[in-house]
Amino acid sequence: MKDVKFAITDIETTGGGIKGNKITEICVLVVQNGKVIDDYSSLVNPGTEIPLYIETLTNINDKMVADAPKFAEIASEIDKITKDCVFVAHNVNFDYNIIKAEFNSLELPFQRKRLCTVRLAKKLIPGLFSYSLGNICTSINIPHVDRHRARGDCEATVTLFQRCLDLDPDYEVFKAFLNQRTAASYLPPNFKNSDFEKLPATTGVYFFKDKDGIPLYIGKAKNIKSRIKSHFQEKSNRKYKLMQATYSIDYELTGSELLALLRESALILKYFPEFNKAQKKVSRPYTLTSYHNQKGIEQFVIHKNKVSPVSWMKFYTREEAIKFLENICQEFDLCPRYCGLQTGVSHCSHYKITSCSGMCKGEIDKEEYNRRVSKAVEYIQQYENSCLLVEKGRTKAEKSFIYLKKGRYAGYGFVENSDDFNGPEQFEDYLVPQTNSSYADRIVNRYLITKKNITRLDLNTGEEVEEREAEEWFG
């Protein structure tokens, strides 16, 4: 480690996160054996206007950089001075990713090992109120002149780096950070690697939280650890800001993917996290109804805005409604024309359903056809029954359930695999009641229509029913 070269780097930029952020000034000081052996610094013409708030912060303005070289003109110098070095910066992912983006724009490679002085200081100088460069320098008496200028900040970072070297004489901490082969190299500056390693690789909901424990972002995942790692590696400006504000990550295991969706929706509505996109307003649903037409035939129809005395089911996209009706039509041998699947035709010629009952051609008795429709309605009505949807649990020893009260989401719970119940009084002790919402309605509705192999416990009969197969989904 004594002979390793460290390219301690600082840049000033036009601001705005990672993407589209351009360098206005750069300084690189190469340290070996605790001494500066090489240096490079320059203003940089970003090729775009410098915002006023950045000019106020750095005192770098458009006039100062007008005659400065563009990054393309100094790229070879940056590549040369940092080659065979460990790239070091205070909040290293910011500086490194912006410089790498500049090289990428020139179709040039830039790959270096990285060390972050924020993370080094947190490990070797614990207990400080803040780990911003300015506050660290004030706390441990490091000279810091020309703040928010590349050379001034870089020189202060060199001193901080040397202090960290003195506190780690056997290089144990340095080696540990350099040899990381996990997401740790992408971790937010305020987040501990040990906390990341504790994250589960199972299904549930996760929370990015700020320093006060307030949720900043809530998401769902089949594999929480893998999904969070992918967040760390994203380079969008919005994700960068989230990572900078994150101090801890919490999670809630669900086992069930359906429950993860429901919990995510409920928690977003509860906390309105800053970095979650607002949940889109659920539009007025499509309604499945039926009526006796002038010929006395019981006919299905889908409508969106009409009021009907009979309403069987609701769908939140027309495609879902059509798919459900196609399944009903085929399963109960009905006529596409009288299922709302074809209009303006005298006889069915559906592109998908070729087994028309013949009602449109008068090949089947009207009473017999209506009996088939009645059986289809009985099948449809089960969606409005109170039931439990039985799903995977958080461990192999348990199962989860989602309680639908008259077809509407009303809560969830977890029970041991050996537990069985045949009525409300036997599962309510395990129930975590929930308030229904239009978002929950849509999630449950889509699940019932499209999920494979639903296990439903009918609370009216106590019977467990294995549903038909359909297309699996988990967004």
Side-chain angles (χ1 to χ4, degrees):
M1 286 291 293
K2 287 184 178 180
D3 296 326
V4 175
K5 292 191 292 184
F6 299 92
I8 297 171
T9 305
D10 189 84
I11 59 174
E12 303 302 326
T13 71
T14 55
I18 299 292
K19 286 192 174 181
N21 203 346
K22 306 296 289 183
I23 297 172
T24 59
E25 188 176 36
I26 186 169
C27 180
V28 181
L29 299 174
V30 179
V31 173
Q32 187 178 37
N33 291 322
K35 297 181 179 179
V36 176
I37 63 168
D38 200 359
D39 76 281
Y40 177 86
S41 63
S42 176
L43 287 168
V44 182
N45 186 336
T48 186
E49 288 187 3
I50 299 173
L52 180 59
Y53 77 96
I54 293 293
E55 180 181 333
T56 303
L57 179 68
T58 65
N59 289 320
I60 300 173
N61 58 42
D62 293 331
K63 185 177 180 181
M64 288 173 62
V65 299
D67 296 324
K70 293 188 175 182
F71 188 83
E73 299 173 58
I74 64 171
S76 60
E77 293 287 341
I78 304 303
D79 181 63
K80 179 180 177 182
I81 196 170
T82 61
K83 191 174 183 180
D84 301 323
C85 294
V86 176
F87 188 100
V88 181
H90 202 71
N91 192 5
V92 69
N93 286 337
F94 176 79
D95 299 74
Y96 181 83
N97 285 324
I98 290 178
I99 291 174
K100 186 177 177 67
E102 293 276 17
F103 275 95
N104 287 344
S105 69
L106 301 173
E107 298 183 353
L108 295 173
F110 187 80
Q111 194 74 33
R112 306 287 188 268
K113 284 189 174 183
R114 284 166 280 172
L115 268 179
C116 181
T117 51
V118 175
R119 300 184 67 77
L120 284 171
K122 283 195 164 193
K123 185 71 174 179
L124 295 167
I125 315 172
L128 299 183
F129 174 74
S130 168
Y131 285 86
S132 70
L133 184 60
N135 286 333
I136 290 178
C137 290
T138 299
S139 297
I140 61 176
N141 298 316
I142 291 176
H144 190 186
V145 297
D146 289 336
R147 293 190 181 193
H148 303 300
R149 291 299 299 266
R151 179 166 284 276
D153 287 349
C154 197
E155 288 176 346
T157 304
V158 167
T159 305
L160 172 61
F161 182 79
Q162 290 168 328
R163 294 275 183 95
C164 290
L165 279 173
D166 292 339
L167 293 168
D168 189 31
D170 296 325
Y171 306 108
E172 292 180 1
V173 174
F174 276 73
K175 287 177 180 177
F177 281 127
L178 282 172
N179 292 331
Q180 287 171 344
R181 293 292 182 270
T182 66
S185 60
Y186 300 98
L187 289 179
N190 301 306
F191 188 64
K192 297 177 182 177
N193 180 44
S194 58
D195 290 340
F196 173 78
E197 295 302 329
K198 293 176 185 176
L199 292 171
T202 50
T203 302
V205 186
Y206 56 90
F207 312 74
F208 286 87
K209 294 183 175 181
D210 68 11
K211 61 183 178 180
D212 298 318
I214 297 172
L216 296 166
Y217 178 84
I218 296 172
K220 65 177 185 315
K222 289 183 180 179
N223 183 321
I224 291 174
K225 189 172 188 177
S226 177
R227 181 67 186 102
I228 288 174
K229 180 180 178 181
S230 72
H231 280 296
F232 294 158
Q233 295 171 330
E234 290 180 32
K235 298 296 191 296
S236 70
N237 290 342
R238 183 178 180 83
K239 195 55 60 69
Y240 169 76
K241 291 177 181 177
L242 170 61
M243 295 302 104
Q244 297 304 299
T246 296
Y247 279 72
S248 63
I249 297 177
D250 202 355
Y251 59 87
E252 177 183 315
L253 298 183
T254 63
S256 159
E257 297 169 7
L258 170 60
L259 185 52
L261 284 162
L262 290 166
R263 294 296 295 140
E264 177 196 39
S265 177
L267 290 164
I268 290 173
L269 286 173
K270 180 179 179 179
Y271 292 107
F272 291 99
E274 178 184 350
F275 288 89
N276 279 97
K277 293 181 180 178
Q279 293 193 6
K280 293 181 180 179
K281 184 179 180 181
V282 176
S283 60
R284 184 187 295 273
Y286 293 88
T287 301
L288 172 62
T289 187
S290 66
Y291 67 98
H292 270 70
N293 66 17
Q294 293 178 345
K295 297 179 180 180
I297 299 169
E298 187 74 9
Q299 182 166 344
F300 287 118
V301 66
I302 299 168
H303 63 78
K304 190 167 187 178
N305 297 311
K306 297 178 182 178
V307 177
S308 174
V310 178
S311 176
W312 300 123
M313 284 186 71
K314 289 181 171 56
F315 304 88
Y316 290 90
T317 69
R318 184 170 179 80
E319 291 74 19
E320 289 173 357
I322 294 297
K323 184 174 182 178
F324 182 80
L325 271 180
E326 288 174 347
N327 289 335
I328 292 295
C329 187
Q330 289 177 304
E331 188 163 341
F332 294 93
D333 194 16
L334 303 179
C335 178
R337 179 185 174 193
Y338 294 114
C339 286
L341 297 172
Q342 284 198 286
T343 57
V345 295
S346 56
H347 305 308
C348 292
S349 57
H350 195 271
Y351 77 100
K352 182 177 180 180
I353 303 172
T354 58
S355 58
C356 172
S357 67
M359 188 69 244
C360 57
K361 299 178 182 178
E363 296 174 353
I364 183 175
D365 182 75
K366 177 173 60 179
E367 284 71 24
E368 167 60 25
Y369 183 81
N370 285 346
R371 279 194 290 272
R372 294 184 188 181
V373 174
S374 294
K375 289 183 179 179
V377 168
E378 287 177 10
Y379 174 79
I380 292 169
Q381 283 178 317
Q382 71 177 318
Y383 286 88
E384 298 296 317
N385 291 343
S386 293
C387 69
L388 301 181
L389 302 176
V390 183
E391 289 274 307
K392 290 192 299 185
R394 298 162 295 186
T395 67
K396 291 182 179 180
E398 73 174 11
K399 54 192 172 185
S400 64
F401 66 83
I402 286 85
Y403 174 39
L404 302 186
K405 185 177 182 180
K406 295 183 179 180
R408 298 291 178 264
Y409 175 56
Y412 67 94
F414 300 95
V415 295
E416 297 297 315
N417 285 331
S418 58
D419 289 330
D420 293 308
F421 23 70
N422 300 314
E425 71 284 353
Q426 291 182 311
F427 77 87
E428 287 183 343
D429 287 344
Y430 303 94
L431 180 67
V432 181
Q434 296 289 293
T435 302
N436 189 38
S437 68
S438 57
Y439 304 104
D441 268 346
R442 183 170 188 172
I443 290 166
V444 170
N445 191 69
R446 191 176 179 193
Y447 171 90
L448 291 172
I449 295 169
T450 62
K451 183 72 169 66
K452 282 184 179 179
N453 302 327
I454 299 170
T455 301
R456 181 203 304 263
L457 180 65
D458 192 316
L459 295 178
N460 297 322
T461 65
E463 295 180 355
E464 190 173 280
V465 181
E466 185 86 6
E467 297 286 354
R468 76 208 181 288
E469 287 193 0
E471 184 180 351
E472 185 176 9
W473 78 289
F474 183 64

